Amino acid sequence: MSSTQTHHDVDVVVVGAGFAGLAMLRELRDERGMSVRVLEAGDDVGGVWYWNRYPGARCDVDSTDYSYTFSPELDEEWNWSERYATQPEILRYVHHVAERFDLRRDVTTGARVATATWDDDTAHWDVTCEDGTTARGRYLVMATGCLSAVKRPQVEGMEDFTGQVLHTADWPREPVDLAGKRVGVIGTGSSGIQVIPRIAPEVAELVVFQRTPAFSVPAHHQVLSDAERAALKLSLPERREMLRNSPTGLSVPVTRRGALDDDDAAREQHYEEQWHSAGFGFLLAYNDLLISHEANRTASDFIRGKIAERVTDPALAEKLSPHTYPYGAKRPCVDTGYYETFNRENVTLVDIAAAPLTRATATTLETADAAYDLDVIVFATGFDAMTGSLLKPTITGRDGVTLQEHWAGGPLTYLGLMTAGFPNMFVIAGPGSPSLLGNVMVSIEQHVDWVSALLVDSEAAGTPVIEATEEAERAWVDRVNAAAAPTLYMEAASYYLGAEIEGKPRVFMPYAGGLRRYRRECDEVAREGYRGFRRSPEPSTDLQPA
Ligand code: N01
């Protein structure tokens, strides 16, 4: 399906064939009658689920809630096998959707976008790809995802390492045999926490290089029985309504009391119950865990207590216990046997906050204190999050201004959907919207519906050039900052804040006001005739190219 030197003239160019890009394609093509070309860097559809195929990769949102909602037939015929789907099963789902709705015919794979340039005279976006593919469309939709630009830290001498070097977010498609090898894993975020317990039993030695310990709670994966699946299907309409109207897009009931509203014994019991069932939803055990230090301390202490129970060596348990930021201020993790993995004889934890990594040699990875002989090094170091994939290509808007220039101080958006000076360019579930702070599937579908409705409205009104005004953008950036300011999110060096990349502007990027409020705001803007957007007719046809 990969093509080179081809040109596509369409209504809408979509970048990225993950969940967002495919949903955008189906909606615009099949429901709104527009022509669409999706440009995808990978060799197949799937987005993050195409790239992140490391052992143990799976979703931590219930499979039923991490599914498209546009087709009752799709719901009927697809059967998730587990509560939290594995990466291979999610990829199978994406493939099924692509085939079921005949989406691949409008996707060009192997086409990594290099440039996108707004032509003000003709009101079109011109897009070029590294493989020579070009496309032209009146609209450009960036469906590139918040977690797709891979972060590869520089370690001196890494080029001399003669073993295998892997990254969780760019895992080979062919099987990787780690059996009997000495493996080092750098990074203990969600990816590290999934891959570490999964590979520990098969490798000879596992050395985990930890810079910042994570808070992790048990995932409680479970295979779904036929009866459970049937019950889930029956509850779908109600469940989806709940997701759409919840602040998080998760099917976890919001507790309507604060942590200190319960006395110590009641709180302990509540945490204990949540620990044994909630998974990712543990963060919602009380409604003030992300706004009150005192409340948060009770949850943080509870989790640290559990780490101490799960790890037999108290000194090791302490090393694995986070103390430098509040629980939830970085994206919380869920695990299956992560902490217990450190009770194994063949697993070593290296605290690289205390003794930083210094260099790699042909056969070792070294810290300030010691050298570790390794056959394989796995980077589980995450992403240049939120803005990385948007700033990788050169996107040039009005008056030759690039997105890199416009966003030099951090992402500026109106509703997270558009950025001033970049007419007819939309971002799906990116910075300035709730995106990573909730169930991203709910965010994606909300954006897809909203953008599609705007395009249809604009075309019908004869005003197909749309742009966020500078005032609306300024006001929205203030709203994003104001929503984050009272939260504990501000107290961790997280990727929400741009702290994962040296030199990246330190601004809180997602909208922390909750999905429900955000959806209402977007709907209100639309009802008020797309308040904050400037809309104008297309330039006269004599300016169109011959
Ligand atoms: O990446 P991360 P991830 N030297 O950024 C460390 C989603 N996801 O791929 O905290 C040494 O969270 C870094 O340390 P520190 C989910 O949204 C979901 O794990 O920067 N260490 C940290 O420990 C998740 O949040 C699922 O000090 C370095 C780790 O690497 C997001 O993807 C599964 C370093 C990076 O953690 C990203 O997760 C997997 C350096 N130079 C992922 N640079 C599920 O759905 C970074 N680190 C379950």
Side-chain angles (χ1 to χ4, degrees), residues 49 52 54 57-61 147 151 153-155 167-169 186-194 209-213 330-334 352 357 380-383 436 493 495-496 499-500:
W49 300 105
N52 288 258
Y54 57 86
R58 67 163 85 218
C59 190
D60 55 11
V61 171
L147 298 168
K151 177 185 168 186
Q154 296 298 312
V155 178
H167 197 297
T168 47
I186 306 173
T188 53
S190 298
S191 303
I193 280 180
Q194 286 186 329
F209 297 90
Q210 170 192 271
R211 190 165 68 178
T212 310
K330 281 180 166 222
R331 207 266 199 184
C333 301
V334 297
I352 54 170
L357 285 176
T381 46
F383 305 88
L436 294 177
Y495 61 63
Y496 301 140
E500 81 287 15

Side-chain angles (χ1 to χ4, degrees), residues 23 54-56 85 87 172 183 204-205 211 234 370 444 451 470 481 490 522:
Y54 57 86
Q87 176 271 335
V183 179
E205 279 173 47
R211 190 165 68 178
L234 267 182
I444 285 172
V451 170
E470 294 75 7
N481 290 334
M490 305 307 284
C522 290

